[in-house]
Amino acid sequence: MGREPTLRKDILEILDFARNLDFKQVGITSNGRLFSYPLFTKRVLDKGVNQIAVSISGAKSQTHDRQTKVKGSFEQTISGIKNIIQMSSDDISLLVNFTLNKLNMNELKETLTLLNSIGVKEINILNIAPLSSRSNNKLLIAKMSQAGKHLKDVLKNAETEYPETKILLVEFLPCALPPELREYFSPCLEKNPRKVRIPICDGCPYSDSCDGVLEDYIHLYGVDEFKSLK
């Protein structure tokens, strides 16, 4: 993962190397575009990959392509997801990351319905973090508490509408979410040294699975929205 690993000319060699080291889990996080080519998809799957995570940024080409800056990328990503589903065995997991932000938040419901219709069973709703000069602004980054109110409305009937789909909220803090959404909270597996603890973190029941708030986020919105869960 990181940037776009499928663009590496040695990606298949890397997967071979990982398999020869007897890793139990080998995964790729991708924009999914190269998986729109069936031969590439087959070659990757034949290398023993356990999970492929594909990122999507909207339910429509205009929304997705506006963020990727590549015309036609939405159609390629959807085609790639379909190829992975069609060509994968039962022991290969497909995970789709919806990169939630102010540009696509109103398409979350439509995106979940689209992904469910093509057979996606695992969806992460990923809160975009302000980690670069391009993303570190209020035009793109959604305030977590405001996003939480929208998510509450979208997911209120999720168990009925998407009964076979696992949905998780990634990089959202429980203290910024409505109580009904905390069951969807997922701890981030990557440690980030730019995350800090704030006073309400003391005694929080999620302290073992939550590393705190990004300093960059605090610079944007402060900490007033976060409520103590003691």
Side-chain angles (χ1 to χ4, degrees):
M1 64 184 297
R3 299 274 180 184
E4 181 48 48
T6 62
L7 292 178
R8 292 187 61 103
K9 295 181 180 179
D10 59 351
I11 183 63
L12 297 179
E13 296 174 39
I14 292 173
L15 294 176
D16 269 334
F17 182 69
R19 185 173 60 179
N20 290 335
L21 289 176
D22 293 329
F23 278 105
K24 293 181 179 179
Q25 298 292 327
V26 180
I28 295 177
T29 299
S30 168
N31 60 29
R33 292 174 58 199
L34 274 177
F35 289 98
S36 64
Y37 297 94
L39 181 58
F40 177 82
T41 304
K42 183 178 185 305
R43 286 176 173 173
V44 169
L45 294 176
D46 285 347
K47 294 301 180 181
V49 170
N50 304 98
Q51 183 183 80
I52 300 175
V54 176
S55 301
I56 191 169
S57 298
K60 302 173 183 176
S61 58
Q62 299 95 318
T63 307
H64 180 93
D65 294 0
R66 176 186 178 189
Q67 295 170 75
T68 63
K69 305 296 185 183
V70 179
K71 186 176 181 179
S73 60
F74 176 77
E75 297 300 333
Q76 285 184 312
T77 296
I78 293 297
S79 177
I81 291 172
K82 290 179 178 178
N83 280 342
I84 295 168
I85 292 173
Q86 182 179 357
M87 301 173 71
S88 293
S89 58
D90 292 338
D91 58 346
I92 298 174
S93 168
L94 169 68
L95 169 67
V96 174
N97 292 316
F98 178 78
T99 54
L100 185 140
N101 56 68
K102 285 186 175 180
L103 301 180
N104 62 21
M105 191 184 303
N106 65 340
E107 291 186 14
L108 173 58
K109 175 74 171 179
E110 191 176 351
T111 305
L112 293 177
T113 300
L114 169 65
L115 296 176
N116 184 70
S117 71
I118 61 179
V120 175
K121 301 300 183 184
E122 294 184 67
I123 301 172
N124 282 351
I125 301 174
L126 178 63
N127 184 47
I128 293 299
L131 295 177
S132 70
S133 58
R134 290 182 298 169
S135 65
N136 196 353
N137 65 79
K138 294 182 180 180
L139 297 176
L140 182 67
I141 303 298
K143 197 171 185 179
M144 270 188 263
S145 55
Q146 293 175 345
K149 293 177 182 178
H150 180 70
L151 287 164
K152 178 182 175 182
D153 184 58
V154 171
L155 296 177
K156 62 183 178 182
N157 296 316
E159 293 184 2
T160 301
E161 295 175 323
Y162 321 110
E164 298 181 1
T165 303
K166 180 181 179 181
I167 298 174
L168 294 176
L169 301 181
V170 180
E171 291 294 351
F172 284 93
L173 304 187
C175 54
L177 294 173
E180 300 92 332
L181 293 183
R182 291 174 196 156
E183 64 179 289
Y184 295 103
F185 165 73
S186 175
C188 189
L189 298 180
E190 297 174 53
K191 298 298 179 182
N192 190 322
R194 293 164 71 176
K195 288 182 177 179
V196 297
R197 301 284 186 178
I198 58 178
I200 66 168
C201 292
D202 294 336
C204 175
Y206 292 90
S207 59
D208 290 339
S209 55
C210 175
D211 294 332
V213 192
L214 273 172
E215 291 180 315
D216 303 84
Y217 184 90
I218 294 176
H219 293 156
L220 277 184
Y221 291 119
V223 298
D224 290 345
E225 67 181 307
F226 303 115
K227 307 302 179 184
S228 175
L229 301 180
K230 295 178 185 177

